């Protein structure tokens, strides 16, 4: 027997011994086992080296990986090495947006791992484009159903948590989203424990006794700082802040230059609230200035509600051990029935292109998949259905690409997918103005959208309108 094979057999035997001991230890209580993650069970997880922790992954397994700032990079890198060294085959890795190198997605691992993205990040785009990875078109709020309905059945879940407190509770930190759903339906849980993971509240808690293996790291979290906001993005942010965001509004927005530009333009607003699947660095300063108070909310009054986040260290320090922040599952935060109850719900989302009828493409460039459905439709619809009748659904984008091509187009690129339908769209904002599309017929929509397109492209867009509609007088 080779040394490598002997070592691997030894790891498997040790895993089986620990698993057997853990199973036996659950008989210390009347209820032999519970799935609820916040309920302690009578066992302690073994703290092992990272390569040993991932040795429980076998050929044919489905592995779930936590995402965003909580991506367990050390475990995923070790998993890639384990798969390559031990000739694993056909391991599916399912996840939302993840950070880090995505080692398991590289071409040399194509027979070992296959990524199955529930929302694509940059580290898996090449694999999907080349047919070595997959993506699932799905609304963000429905992702937990994939686990509850056993459509995805994880054999092993890899997560990233804060250290346990005096009662043995860890926190899922910056990423709750679909993690609870995955863990409740996973055979094994492997935790990466990191003192640099912020401790958050809400649905984030998990007792350490639910870990089958744990590793200890002391790694910085992935960071996305606030980049330079361009003059175009500043105009868009100012237009939205001054015309569409009212005092007392509840905000949803993602990460990127346009959300940052909007947040930077809100410093004279009062009593704002945050109910968003994620939020960005700019929220911290708005809280410190007293602009964000969440005081008008009827649900979670006085609290920021989120589901996952990624930002800079200042954001992580802000959310750490802060009861002002509550993190919940994505099936709750993005549930339209919850969203529509928020006062003056104002949803701000960006996209890749919009056609002249109002169809919005956000997840692909032609036939090439770029990201995913995300929470755009969840919040656009939730804001439109606002029970107070004051919701504001917004699609915001620069009028042109970096190459000068118009993002308002006669028809979407061949193969491009529609994320937000023309019936869902209310407001489209570019640096040239605000188009109000709700209740407008197709001819009126075309006119509205042409008015906020780049002036260099308006003549071409108008010609297309005349060609399609034949006669297009200025709408009343």
């Amino acid at each position: 027997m080779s040394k490598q094979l002997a070592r691997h057999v030894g790891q498997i035997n040790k895993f089986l011994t620990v698993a057997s001991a853990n199973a036996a230890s659950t008989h210390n209580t009347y209820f032999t086992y519970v799935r609820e993650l916040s309920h302690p069970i009578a066992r302690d997880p073994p703290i092992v080296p990272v390569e040993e922790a991932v040795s429980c992954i076998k050929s044919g397994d489905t592995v779930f990986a936590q995402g965003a700032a909580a991506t367990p990079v050390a475990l995923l890198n070790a998993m890639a090495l384990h798969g390559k060294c031990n000739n694993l085959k056909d391991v599916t890795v399912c996840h939302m947006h993840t950070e880090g190198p995505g080692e398991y997605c590289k071409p040399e691992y194509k027979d070992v791992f296959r990524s199955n993205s529930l929302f694509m990040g940059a580290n898996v785009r090449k694999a999907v484009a080349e047919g070595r990875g997959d993506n699932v078109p799905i609304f963000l709020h429905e992702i937990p159903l994939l686990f509850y309905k056993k459509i995805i059945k994880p054999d092993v879940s890899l997560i990233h948590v804060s250290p346990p407190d005096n009662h043995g509770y860890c926190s899922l930190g910056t990423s709750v989203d679909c993690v609870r759903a995955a863990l409740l339906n996973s055979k094994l849980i492997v935790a990466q424990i990191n003192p640099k993971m912020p401790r958050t509240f809400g649905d984030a808690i998990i007792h350490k006794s639910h870990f089958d293996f744990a590793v200890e790291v002391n790694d910085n979290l992935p960071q996305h700082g606030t980049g330079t906001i361009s003059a175009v993005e500043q105009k868009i942010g100012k237009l939205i802040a001054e015309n569409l965001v009212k005092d007392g509004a509840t905000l949803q927005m993602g990460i990127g230059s346009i959300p940052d530009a909007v947040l930077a333009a809100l410093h004279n607003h009062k009593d704002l609230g945050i109910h968003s699947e994620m939020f960005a660095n700019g929220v911290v300063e708005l809280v410190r200035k007293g602009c964000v108070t969440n005081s008008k909310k009827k649900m979670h009054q006085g609290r920021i509600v989120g589901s996952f986040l990624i930002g800079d260290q200042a954001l992580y320090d802000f959310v750490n051990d802060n009861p002002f922040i509550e993190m919940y599952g994505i099936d709750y935060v993005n549930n339209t029935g919850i969203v529509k109850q928020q006062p003056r719900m104002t949803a701000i989302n960006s996209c890749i292109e919009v056609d002249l009828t109002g169809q919005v493409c956000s997840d692909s460039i032609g036939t090439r998949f770029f990201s995913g459905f995300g929470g755009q439709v969840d919040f656009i619809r939730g804001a439109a259905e606002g029970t107070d009748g004051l919701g504001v659904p917004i699609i915001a984008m620069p009028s042109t690409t970096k190459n000068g091509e118009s993002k308002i187009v006669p028809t979407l690129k061949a193969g491009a997918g529609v994320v937000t339908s023309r019936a869902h769209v209310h407001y489209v904002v570019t640096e040239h103005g605000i188009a109000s599309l709700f209740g407008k017929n197709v001819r009126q929509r075309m006119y509205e959208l042409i008015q906020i397109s780049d002036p260099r492209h308006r003549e071409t867009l108008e010609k297309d309108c005349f060609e399609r509609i034949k006669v297009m007088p200025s709408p009343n």
Side-chain angles (χ1 to χ4, degrees):
M1 182 183 295
S2 70
K3 288 183 179 179
Q4 186 180 26
L5 181 59
R7 179 174 174 273
H8 188 49
V9 169
Q11 287 177 341
I12 292 174
N13 288 336
K14 184 173 182 179
F15 162 66
L16 293 173
T17 300
V18 171
S20 176
N22 283 338
S25 70
T26 63
H27 293 283
N28 292 338
T29 59
Y30 178 76
F31 295 102
T32 57
Y33 186 69
V34 291
R35 300 297 297 178
E36 174 47 52
L37 304 177
S38 62
H39 192 286
I41 54 178
R43 66 175 188 177
D44 285 315
I47 306 295
V48 298
V50 65
E51 62 272 10
E52 187 175 328
V54 298
S55 66
C56 59
I57 297 170
K58 311 179 300 300
S59 291
D61 275 356
T62 294
V63 177
F64 169 78
Q66 195 174 0
T71 303
V73 175
L75 286 173
L76 289 172
N77 288 344
M79 177 192 72
L81 185 61
H82 164 60
K84 193 172 185 180
C85 290
N86 293 292
N87 299 314
L88 300 190
K89 300 288 184 185
D90 303 322
V91 177
T92 299
V93 184
C94 63
H95 51 83
M96 287 172 54
H97 168 103
T98 58
E99 293 290 320
E103 192 72 22
Y104 56 92
C105 289
K106 294 182 178 178
E108 57 265 36
Y109 295 95
K110 66 181 179 64
D111 296 323
V112 184
F113 300 105
R114 190 172 184 89
S115 166
N116 191 26
S117 298
L118 308 175
F119 185 90
M120 287 171 56
N123 56 6
V124 300
R125 284 180 194 136
K126 193 169 189 290
V128 172
E130 294 178 356
R132 295 179 284 104
D134 298 302
N135 66 309
V136 179
I138 188 168
F139 299 123
L140 218 57
H141 81 273
E142 290 189 325
I143 291 176
L145 287 177
L146 299 177
F147 302 100
Y148 293 132
K149 291 188 173 185
K150 312 296 185 184
I151 295 169
I152 296 178
K153 297 182 283 188
D155 295 288
V156 181
S157 285
L158 306 180
I159 62 172
H160 191 173
V161 300
S162 67
D165 63 14
N166 292 336
H167 300 284
Y169 287 100
C170 301
S171 170
L172 296 171
T174 57
S175 181
V176 175
D177 47 71
C178 67
V179 181
R180 273 183 56 86
L183 298 183
L184 287 168
N185 292 280
S186 184
K187 294 177 184 175
L188 296 173
I189 299 173
V190 180
Q192 176 177 305
I193 299 173
N194 186 359
K196 293 181 178 177
M197 172 60 72
R199 186 174 187 80
T200 60
F201 298 90
D203 279 344
I205 63 169
I206 177 172
H207 197 269
K208 67 177 183 178
S209 56
H210 289 270
F211 304 153
D212 294 280
F213 293 98
V215 302
E216 294 178 333
V217 301
N218 190 21
D219 298 337
N220 292 324
L221 301 189
Q223 294 192 23
H224 284 200
T226 301
T228 302
I229 300 173
S230 70
V232 165
E233 291 155 348
Q234 285 178 343
K235 287 182 181 178
I236 294 170
K238 188 175 180 182
L239 277 169
I240 292 172
E242 293 182 355
N243 296 278
L244 297 176
V245 180
K246 307 300 182 185
D247 288 343
T250 306
L251 303 177
Q252 173 264 336
M253 58 187 68
I255 190 170
S257 297
I258 289 178
D260 287 342
V262 175
L263 291 170
L266 290 174
H267 286 258
N268 290 320
H269 281 65
K270 297 184 295 184
D271 292 323
L272 298 173
I274 305 292
H275 182 101
S276 182
E277 74 264 53
M278 68 179 302
F279 54 91
N281 305 320
V283 168
V284 179
E285 188 59 28
L286 289 178
V287 171
R288 287 177 177 154
K289 288 192 70 173
C291 303
V292 170
T293 64
N294 300 285
S295 62
K296 301 299 182 182
K297 286 184 176 183
K298 305 302 180 188
M299 307 168 68
H300 307 282
Q301 191 170 34
R303 302 288 189 273
I304 288 175
V305 170
S307 193
F308 63 95
L309 55 88
I310 184 166
D312 58 17
Q313 191 58 47
L315 180 65
Y316 302 148
D317 292 341
F318 173 68
V319 302
N320 182 44
D321 208 27
N322 188 349
F324 186 61
I325 316 295
E326 295 181 347
M327 304 288 283
Y328 292 100
I330 206 72
D331 47 350
Y332 176 80
V333 175
N334 283 43
N335 186 307
T336 304
I338 301 298
V339 173
K340 71 182 182 181
Q341 296 182 59
Q342 308 308 314
R344 292 187 178 274
M345 187 69 225
T346 303
I348 305 167
N349 290 270
S350 58
C351 67
I352 292 171
E353 60 181 2
V354 178
D355 77 9
L356 285 176
T357 71
Q359 294 187 117
V360 178
C361 175
S362 303
D363 69 339
S364 59
I365 302 172
T367 57
R368 181 162 58 91
F369 288 106
F370 185 79
S371 55
F373 267 58
Q376 183 170 120
V377 179
D378 299 341
F379 278 94
I380 289 289
R381 194 67 209 144
E385 293 182 4
T387 54
D388 61 5
L390 300 173
V392 185
I394 302 167
I395 299 293
M397 64 177 186
S399 63
T400 61
T401 67
K402 292 179 180 178
N403 296 326
E405 298 174 2
S406 181
K407 297 186 75 166
I408 295 175
V409 293
T411 58
L412 301 180
K413 288 183 177 63
V418 175
V419 168
T420 299
S421 76
R422 57 172 72 98
H424 282 94
V425 175
H426 284 221
Y427 296 100
V428 178
V429 182
T430 73
E431 71 274 23
H432 298 293
I434 300 171
S436 177
L437 303 187
F438 181 67
K440 303 287 174 65
N441 60 40
V442 172
R443 179 170 58 87
Q444 291 169 327
R445 285 166 173 251
M446 289 181 172
Y447 181 80
E448 288 266 343
L449 288 166
I450 288 171
Q451 299 314 300
I452 66 165
S453 67
D454 187 286
R456 294 170 295 177
H457 295 283
R458 288 179 188 172
E459 185 178 351
T460 302
L461 292 170
E462 286 171 354
K463 286 180 180 178
D464 183 82
C465 285
F466 279 110
E467 189 65 31
R468 292 168 67 181
I469 299 183
K470 304 303 181 185
V471 178
M472 186 183 171
S474 177
N476 294 325

